[in-house]
Amino acid sequence: MNVHDSERLAGMLEEAGYTPAEGDAPPDVVVFNTCAVRENADNKLYGTLGHLAPAKSANPDMQIAVGGCLAQKDQGEIVNRAPWVDVVFGTHNIGSLPVLLERARHNREAQVEILDSLETFPSTLPARRDSAYSGWVSVSVGCNNTCTFCIVPSLRGKEKDRRPGEVLAEVRALVDEGVLEVTLLGQNVNSYGVEFGDRYAFGKLLRATGGIEGLERVRFTSPHPKDFTDDVIAAMAETPNVCHQLHMPLQSGSDRVLKAMRRSYRSGRYLAILEDVRRAMPDAAITTDIIVGFPGETEEDFQATLDVVREARFAGAFTFQYSKRPGTPAAELPDQLPKRVVQERYDRLVALQNELSWEQNKLQVGRTVEVLVSHGEGRKDAETHRLSGRARDGRLVHFAPGDAAVRPGDVVETAITYAAPHNLIADGGLISHRRTRAGDRSEAGIKPKTAGVTLGLPKFGAPEPLPAAVGGCSAG
């Protein structure tokens, strides 16, 4: 979500006449779009601002702006700790950045503007997209949950939903620019519709994407187990371009800890959803988020998490050590765990999940997969003479292109020859290679620029007959 907000910031700056700084040329403006989920974000920001102080002294006309969740949290404290910062803006007014930069330049003093509620939905703002082939599309911002460890609701506010027509119009605009894949974004994406009173709106939205010609892949993140409904599973299974990939945070396998976290489901309910998903889509790749070391977590609680992880058979997991965030209820809980205990449990969880991920990935060896070729995801591609991309289930695939002139944005088919815990290798050559308009634009260095989208609310009826898919998202 922060990456997508950064696309909006870049789009606004370009519309205001700014251009990206090239090469080693010193920039006129540096903008930090910050996160506040974990404590190391604070440390990283203030450390980086400290490193920029000499550059600011050498070039007083250079402007430094700080926005996002840390700006919303720390507000004027940022200027107190780093008085060389020119602009501070929050999560609710990212559209104000160009005006605030101009005001700071004119007044020769720092401008701090933090709003308590959303000024305008971010998707009404222009965006300079990072990718020629894959795009982010927000369906909502904010969150109505009250998880005790999470600072996001206090910084992003209550959930605000876009109208379905606006979402679909933005998707169509991206497809018109050559984009093949979109990811629907929301802090709690499957509660979409709460604001206009339709609890089945997200499933309907997924089905509606099936009628968008040229859209080959649809993903979404992140759903909350408490709002996960059977109609969403059916929409995933029955809509050809919706990928059989699910990222659904678990956070803990202990029902006692889940209650303390104020997560309104229990481990049994979570596992039942996974059963339903796999019954409808046996090839689904499921990933999750897990927090280790929540206050009061006992060894028994941690063992319960390990038990759920074993039963869930996740394709992968984002694992985190609990980070105490001032202003959250969990920060005031007793029994904050020592670092050494949290680290030891974290290491055990990572070892188990790596073993399980490797087992899941080994099942892919010998299978033919369709890969949307990406840019920058294979750090060793230059030395291994491979390219990289994502299979339809979201797994990262490094493949040997042979003599084919494959570009980011092209689509290839290849057979998996080796599995590692976090990626798949395909060294047997290409079975097929489809050059795409996204590949043409990527090769030419053209990235989509989308204007803000705002429309009225259409009604969802029965979906129109789906066009013939260019390869479904189910496994072959």
Side-chain angles (χ1 to χ4, degrees):
M1 295 179 74
N2 276 14
V3 170
H4 185 39
D5 281 349
S6 294
E7 291 180 331
R8 298 286 173 194
L9 292 169
M12 285 188 301
L13 290 174
E14 287 198 356
E15 196 171 76
Y18 295 85
T19 58
E22 299 291 345
D24 295 328
D28 299 308
V29 177
V30 179
V31 183
F32 294 95
N33 184 25
T34 62
C35 177
V37 170
R38 287 175 284 169
E39 186 177 11
N40 64 353
D42 299 56
N43 301 333
K44 189 174 182 180
L45 171 67
Y46 289 111
T48 306
L49 289 176
H51 288 305
L52 268 182
K56 177 72 171 180
S57 296
N59 179 15
D61 289 333
M62 181 181 76
Q63 290 189 293
I64 301 172
V66 179
C69 287
L70 260 182
Q72 190 78 23
K73 178 174 77 74
D74 287 1
Q75 303 191 13
E77 179 64 18
I78 292 175
V79 174
N80 292 335
R81 293 178 62 174
W84 52 93
V85 169
D86 299 278
V87 170
V88 178
F89 61 101
T91 59
H92 298 308
N93 63 319
I94 67 173
S96 301
L97 176 59
V99 170
L100 293 173
L101 287 169
E102 182 60 33
R103 194 183 300 162
R105 190 180 298 115
H106 179 271
N107 294 346
R108 293 285 175 180
E109 65 178 12
Q111 301 297 307
V112 179
E113 183 176 288
I114 307 292
L115 302 184
D116 293 330
S117 59
L118 199 64
E119 182 179 61
T120 181
F121 201 98
S123 294
T124 63
L125 304 171
R128 179 182 182 271
R129 305 287 178 156
D130 286 339
S131 170
Y133 47 86
S134 183
W136 309 101
V137 176
S138 290
V139 303
S140 64
V141 295
C143 183
N144 292 340
N145 295 315
T146 56
C147 302
T148 56
F149 57 82
C150 187
I151 198 169
V152 169
S154 64
L155 303 180
R156 291 276 185 178
K158 293 291 186 182
E159 180 175 326
K160 296 290 183 183
D161 293 334
R162 296 177 74 190
R163 294 305 187 245
E166 294 180 7
V167 176
L168 295 172
E170 185 174 344
V171 173
R172 290 189 187 98
L174 287 169
V175 173
D176 288 344
E177 293 270 348
V179 167
L180 300 176
E181 173 186 88
V182 297
T183 301
L184 304 177
L185 293 176
Q187 198 68 42
N188 178 10
V189 71
N190 57 326
S191 68
Y192 173 72
V194 65
E195 205 178 16
F196 49 86
D198 185 355
R199 67 188 298 260
Y200 299 110
F202 188 64
K204 295 173 183 177
L205 185 65
L206 289 178
R207 290 185 185 276
T209 63
I212 298 178
E213 187 175 353
L215 179 60
E216 298 190 17
R217 297 184 177 192
V218 178
R219 307 186 193 278
F220 59 91
T221 194
S222 291
H224 193 295
K226 79 176 178 65
D227 297 307
F228 211 95
T229 51
D230 290 343
D231 67 298
V232 170
I233 298 174
M236 291 177 67
E238 296 166 9
T239 309
N241 61 2
V242 176
C243 293
H244 293 182
Q245 174 194 6
L246 175 64
H247 181 80
M248 187 165 68
L250 168 66
Q251 307 302 11
S252 175
S254 163
D255 289 350
R256 192 187 70 81
V257 172
L258 287 172
K259 183 177 180 181
M261 288 178 167
R262 216 177 285 159
R263 301 282 290 180
S264 48
Y265 57 89
R266 298 297 175 258
S267 58
R269 164 64 179 154
Y270 185 95
L271 290 169
I273 294 172
L274 300 197
E275 274 188 41
D276 292 341
V277 169
R278 287 187 169 121
R279 190 178 301 114
M281 295 166 284
D283 60 314
I286 300 173
T287 55
T288 195
D289 296 336
I290 301 173
I291 296 172
V292 176
F294 186 80
E297 179 190 75
T298 64
E299 178 62 24
E300 183 181 7
D301 292 322
F302 179 67
Q303 286 296 330
T305 295
L306 296 182
D307 290 343
V308 172
V309 168
R310 288 188 189 96
E311 189 170 349
R313 307 187 317 280
F314 295 117
F318 295 94
T319 50
F320 306 93
Q321 298 184 35
Y322 169 74
S323 182
K324 185 177 181 180
R325 308 308 288 132
T328 62
E332 307 303 321
L333 290 176
D335 301 323
Q336 302 280 332
L337 301 186
K339 168 68 176 175
R340 59 177 178 79
V341 172
V342 178
Q343 184 68 53
E344 190 272 337
R345 290 178 184 170
Y346 175 82
D347 291 343
R348 277 191 282 159
L349 174 61
V350 169
L352 172 62
Q353 182 54 55
N354 283 344
E355 178 185 327
L356 295 170
S357 296
W358 201 1
E359 287 179 8
Q360 295 291 307
N361 280 355
K362 286 176 182 176
L363 298 176
Q364 304 298 311
V365 174
R367 293 183 178 176
T368 297
V369 296
E370 182 194 89
V371 179
L372 175 57
V373 184
S374 61
H375 172 74
E377 291 203 78
R379 290 177 295 173
K380 299 180 180 179
D381 281 353
E383 58 193 81
T384 60
H385 304 290
R386 297 186 181 112
L387 296 177
S388 299
R390 296 281 170 177
R392 286 190 171 272
D393 63 8
R395 287 183 168 93
L396 179 61
V397 180
H398 306 299
F399 65 93
D403 296 329
V406 180
R407 300 88 48 89
D410 283 352
V411 177
V412 302
E413 285 186 310
T414 187
I416 303 303
T417 56
Y418 176 78
H422 304 296
N423 57 74
L424 301 171
I425 306 293
D427 277 340
L430 301 183
I431 297 170
S432 70
H433 169 211
R434 175 160 53 91
R435 294 172 69 88
T436 67
R437 191 155 67 98
D440 296 341
R441 294 172 71 87
S442 181
E443 186 176 32
I446 302 171
K447 295 181 179 179
K449 293 182 181 180
T450 51
V453 176
T454 175
L455 298 169
L457 170 62
K459 293 192 178 296
F460 274 119
E464 297 177 5
L466 299 179
V470 185
C473 285
S474 56

